[in-house]
């Protein structure tokens, strides 16, 4: 035998020498849930270890992450039902919880990178990512609202705008609104290939944002499709996206790889709430080793081609020095 691949696995030093993929704090984006009020920190029951923070506590949480070298955050608001309406007006109202959170974080931590979520669902009385009329999701009417939301986020200090709605043409529309208002430096991380997935369940618990009727299949992608992701990715790139995202991550590693090979833009992957919940549930039952399972998942997502990973594991892997 001339070739004995095991030689390159014979010691820890050699294994590390030939290791092809690494995960570091710089690759991670930590999603954080926000709730109104003061001194609030409420547990999300389907996501052990994850909380909804009022803005004062959010600042403390951001600070403790910054101290660990975790400097990128994606914010999501839990909105009181009374503030929701058909047109998600709360999403761009001056002085809203979300806009206050963005500007406070940027004020206290100018060097933090704040990613903001552009989509109607947390603010929509229908729980959908678009305007609903007679049970239909209207595309072009939704763009106008997304544009207002993105502009409000930019004004509040967002570094990266992340449209997660899957309406057609929204990246180009948002890019135009931002540019026309002088925000040429604000980036867009587009949820390019976002699938109609069962794995968003715990997130919808966290935000109380589940659709009030039907499902999201007329805008989010069919999990069976890969080639369609190329269409979405190409359009987002042409429309001016700075990052392309695949979501969820683990069941779609092939899509991450496909996009990686077909664009020069950095690829982000969203390791979603249900993926997090599965690991936590198994760990709580004593069925998986938490450190090994978590680092294996993150490494796999990087190996598939993701530059950045949005993950609820971001803080714990640094706190526990698992990377
Ligand atoms: C909605 C949105 C969702 C997530 C991020 N933005 C859920 C959905 O589309 O219903 C899911 C994130 C997760 O599950 O962690 N705009």
């Amino acid at each position: 035998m001339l070739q004995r691949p095991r030689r390159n696995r014979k010691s820890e030093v050699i294994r590390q020498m030939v290791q092809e993929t690494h995960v570091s704090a710089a690759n991670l984006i930590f999603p954080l849930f926000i709730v109104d009020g003061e001194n609030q920190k409420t547990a999300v029951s389907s996501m052990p270890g994850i909380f909804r923070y009022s803005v004062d506590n959010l600042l403390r949480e951001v600070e403790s992450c910054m101290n660990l070298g975790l400097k990128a955050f994606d914010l999501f608001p839990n909105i009181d039902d009374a503030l929701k309406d058909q047109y998600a007006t709360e999403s761009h109202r001056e002085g809203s919880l979300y806009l206050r959170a963005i500007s406070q974080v940027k004020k206290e931590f100018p060097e933090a990178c704040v990613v903001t979520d552009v989509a109607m669902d947390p603010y929509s009385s229908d729980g959908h990512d678009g305007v609903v009329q007679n049970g239909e999701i209207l595309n072009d009417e939704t763009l106008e609202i997304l544009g207002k939301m993105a502009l409000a986020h930019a004004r509040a200090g967002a570094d990266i705008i992340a449209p997660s709605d899957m309406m057609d043409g929204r990246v180009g529309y948002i890019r135009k609104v931002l540019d026309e208002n002088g925000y040429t430096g604000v980036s867009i991380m587009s949820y390019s290939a976002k699938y109609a997935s069962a794995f968003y369940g715990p997130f919808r618990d966290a935000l109380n944002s589940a659709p009030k009727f039907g499902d999201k299949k007329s805008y989010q992608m069919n999990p069976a499709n890969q080639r369609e992701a190329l269409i979405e990715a190409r359009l987002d790139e042409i429309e001016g996206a700075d990052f392309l995202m695949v979501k969820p991550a683990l069941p779609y590693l092939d899509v991450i790889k496909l996009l990686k090979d077909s664009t020069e833009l950095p690829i982000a992957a969203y390791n979603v709430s249900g993926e997090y919940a599965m690991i936590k549930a198994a760990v709580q039952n004593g069925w998986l080793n938490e450190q090994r399972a978590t680092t294996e998942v993150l490494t796999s997502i990087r190996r598939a081609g993701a530059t950045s990973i949005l993950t609820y594991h971001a803080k714990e892997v640094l706190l526990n020095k698992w990377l």
Side-chain angles (χ1 to χ4, degrees):
M1 259 191 276
L2 278 178
Q3 291 290 339
R4 287 183 180 269
R6 287 187 54 193
R7 279 196 288 264
N8 283 351
R9 297 180 214 131
K10 72 183 169 192
S11 74
E12 191 53 32
V13 174
I14 293 179
R15 284 194 290 274
Q16 286 188 21
M17 195 183 287
V18 299
Q19 180 163 329
E20 298 172 32
T21 308
H22 296 88
V23 184
S24 80
N27 305 124
L28 305 177
I29 302 173
F30 193 24
L32 287 168
F33 299 126
I34 315 164
V35 68
D36 206 4
E38 267 169 49
N39 199 21
Q40 297 294 311
K41 181 182 174 185
T42 62
V44 180
S45 56
S46 48
M47 302 178 72
I50 296 296
F51 301 86
R52 308 174 190 89
Y53 298 95
S54 52
V55 176
D56 48 354
N57 282 340
L58 173 73
L59 295 174
R60 276 182 215 127
E61 179 64 8
V62 167
E63 181 173 27
S64 80
C65 292
M66 297 287 287
N67 291 336
L68 293 167
L70 177 54
K71 299 182 178 174
F73 306 92
D74 194 354
L75 308 179
F76 296 94
N78 176 298
I79 303 293
D80 192 25
D81 269 338
L83 295 171
K84 299 183 184 183
D85 63 21
Q86 188 189 357
Y87 298 104
T89 15
E90 179 65 11
S91 68
H92 48 82
R93 184 180 63 79
E94 213 174 310
S96 73
L97 166 66
Y98 195 64
L99 297 178
R100 276 188 285 121
I102 299 168
S103 54
Q104 294 264 346
V105 172
K106 284 304 290 185
K107 188 170 144 233
E108 298 282 323
F109 309 100
E111 69 285 20
C113 173
V114 172
V115 182
T116 63
D117 189 63
V118 167
M120 289 176 59
D121 54 328
Y123 317 90
S124 152
S125 43
D126 297 300
H128 275 285
D129 296 50
V131 175
V132 179
Q133 214 171 65
N134 305 324
E136 298 265 315
I137 313 294
L138 305 182
N139 194 88
D140 300 12
E141 290 75 356
T142 300
L143 297 185
E144 245 175 80
I145 298 168
L146 300 177
K148 287 184 189 164
M149 214 185 294
L151 182 57
H153 295 179
R155 286 194 174 123
D159 296 283
I160 302 178
I161 306 275
S164 66
D165 55 286
M166 290 302 280
M167 294 302 118
D168 292 336
R170 92 275 209 215
V171 171
Y173 189 94
I174 290 171
R175 186 70 269 161
K176 186 160 170 282
V177 170
L178 292 175
D179 289 356
E180 282 173 357
N181 287 278
Y183 293 101
T184 53
V186 173
S187 319
I188 298 179
M189 177 181 280
S190 177
Y191 287 65
S192 299
K194 177 172 179 178
Y195 288 87
S197 171
F199 293 96
Y200 307 149
F203 173 96
R204 294 176 187 172
D205 291 345
L207 297 192
N208 180 30
S209 65
K212 297 289 187 315
F213 70 90
D215 53 42
K216 298 192 173 187
K217 290 180 186 169
S218 79
Y219 43 107
Q220 299 180 347
M221 287 174 54
N222 181 343
N225 293 356
Q226 190 190 59
R227 291 168 58 80
E228 195 180 344
L230 289 171
I231 301 177
E232 290 285 0
R234 192 189 321 123
L235 288 172
D236 288 352
E237 184 161 0
I238 293 169
E239 292 176 30
D242 302 288
F243 300 79
L244 305 180
M245 193 198 296
V246 175
K247 176 185 179 178
L250 273 193
Y252 302 90
L253 293 179
D254 59 323
V255 180
I256 296 173
K257 170 80 174 128
L258 181 71
L259 294 203
K260 177 74 172 182
D261 291 342
S262 66
T263 176
E264 284 75 45
L265 290 178
I267 305 294
Y270 202 140
N271 176 220
V272 301
S273 57
E275 298 175 64
Y276 176 87
M278 283 198 294
I279 295 216
K280 292 296 169 189
V283 167
Q284 284 183 349
N285 277 294
W287 295 337
L288 284 178
N289 176 295
E290 186 167 29
Q291 171 175 358
R292 292 189 54 211
T294 303
T295 53
E296 185 173 333
V297 163
L298 298 181
T299 303
S300 307
I301 297 169
R302 289 270 298 142
R303 191 196 62 235
T307 309
S308 9
I309 308 173
L310 296 100
T311 178
Y312 303 96
H313 297 291
K315 188 182 183 191
E316 67 181 6
V317 293
L318 298 171
L319 197 61
N320 296 317
K321 299 191 175 15
W322 285 346
L323 296 183

